[in-house]
Amino acid sequence: MAATASTKIPPLLEPYLVVPPEGELVVMTSVLGASANWLVLRWVYGILNRAKRQVEEGEKGDTAVVLCSFLRDGAFWREGSGRMGLDLDSLYRSKSFTFVDGLTGLFVPDAEPSTGAGKDHVLRGSKIGEVAAGLEKAIAEVSGEDKKVVLLVDQMDAWLAMGEAGALEVLNMLGGLREKVHATVLTLSADDPLLHAQNTTLEKEHAALTLSLAHEAQTVMALRLLDTGTARDVSGVVRITGGGKGDTERGDAEYLYYVAGDGGVRVFERGA
């Protein structure tokens, strides 16, 4: 490759991975084989890097992230962020970050989180009211005067698949949460069987949730595999477009990306 993979934010993505404008919704979609993990980590870094510098200079951070994941525990995100030089535990102490564990308590109810030392918010119930209450508590923990809180929810569709709530209920809950934060970033699966078949209840509910959120979004970042198959030095394609409520004058962008074994990522244009 012409350039080494960056453990932080690739230059082509820097304009996107910043604190979104007030009220904005960003939707990231992924497919099997083209996971959004690396992109979520760089969203966290892009938003919290400013808060990190403020804390290091003895100031009060004016940005905070509430990260909720329904497929990955706190250890995963702390390890990935640590590779980029971002200490999430330090940012937790400065009330710039908090994690909501939507995996351990819902899918392994008798287990305790392996990390977090009791700091993480663990969702213990899968009903809509219990999930909403857990997220609201986490948001309140980092909120403050003039604080820009970004809610980042990883794979909410995994919770939807449990069948405890329908797409409309989830959309209504998200609407209420969005009123309590500065901006919202979500990741969802967009595999063809989930969106296009729509034969089962799960497929219908998943398609309703994903398509509704894409229509409400200002920005959609879609990850997919190469149309021509696999390549040794290309992991997939990231396409950035305006959502249903996006600015059509901004224009679309499409890049190739490569995720290295050490977690570094290179993003480049075709032919580069």
Side-chain angles (χ1 to χ4, degrees), residues 16-245:
Y16 302 98
L17 305 184
V18 295
V19 179
E22 185 174 3
E24 183 158 311
L25 172 65
V26 178
V27 171
M28 293 185 290
T29 64
S30 62
V31 298
L32 190 63
S35 169
N37 296 343
W38 67 270
L39 192 51
V40 174
L41 283 167
R42 279 151 185 83
W43 264 106
V44 173
Y45 181 89
I47 294 171
L48 288 179
N49 195 39
R50 173 181 169 83
K52 173 189 173 185
R53 292 196 304 268
Q54 290 174 325
V55 170
E56 289 173 346
E57 294 169 2
E59 300 177 10
K60 185 177 181 180
D62 60 4
T63 308
V65 167
V66 174
L67 172 61
C68 173
S69 181
F70 289 93
L71 279 186
R72 299 158 189 94
D73 63 11
F76 175 88
W77 300 110
R78 287 181 173 86
E79 180 182 355
S81 297
R83 288 181 178 180
M84 295 187 289
L86 198 63
D87 185 349
L88 295 184
D89 289 329
S90 174
L91 288 164
Y92 168 84
R93 291 190 292 271
S94 66
K95 294 190 179 297
S96 296
F97 173 82
T98 192
F99 178 69
V100 180
D101 187 339
L103 172 69
T104 306
L106 299 188
F107 298 99
V108 193
D110 295 330
E112 290 295 328
S114 58
T115 62
K119 300 187 291 291
D120 295 344
H121 296 262
V122 181
L123 298 179
R124 294 294 183 184
S126 57
K127 296 186 182 301
I128 190 103
E130 295 169 318
V131 173
L135 287 169
E136 289 172 357
K137 183 178 179 180
I139 291 168
E141 182 178 273
V142 297
S143 296
E145 187 177 356
D146 298 325
K147 198 83 164 281
K148 294 180 180 179
V149 179
V150 178
L151 173 63
L152 206 165
V153 185
D154 175 52
Q155 302 289 171
M156 181 166 274
D157 48 311
W159 166 53
L160 177 74
M162 296 178 67
E164 293 285 359
L168 182 58
E169 292 175 292
V170 175
L171 289 167
N172 289 336
M173 183 194 77
L174 283 171
L177 293 172
R178 288 180 62 192
E179 294 179 356
K180 300 178 184 297
V181 297
H182 176 80
T184 306
V185 181
L186 307 173
T187 73
L188 301 163
S189 297
D191 300 86
D192 281 350
L194 291 171
L195 295 181
H196 297 146
Q198 296 190 39
N199 294 319
T200 67
T201 300
L202 171 60
E203 291 165 351
K204 292 175 182 177
E205 291 291 331
H206 185 100
L209 177 67
T210 303
L211 296 175
S212 295
L213 288 171
H215 179 73
E216 285 292 316
Q218 281 73 28
T219 302
V220 175
M221 306 180 76
L223 302 178
R224 71 174 194 275
L225 299 173
L226 281 172
D227 297 332
T228 54
T230 59
R232 182 178 60 82
D233 56 354
V234 179
S235 300
V237 181
V238 53
R239 181 170 174 78
I240 305 168
T241 63
K245 294 187 177 179

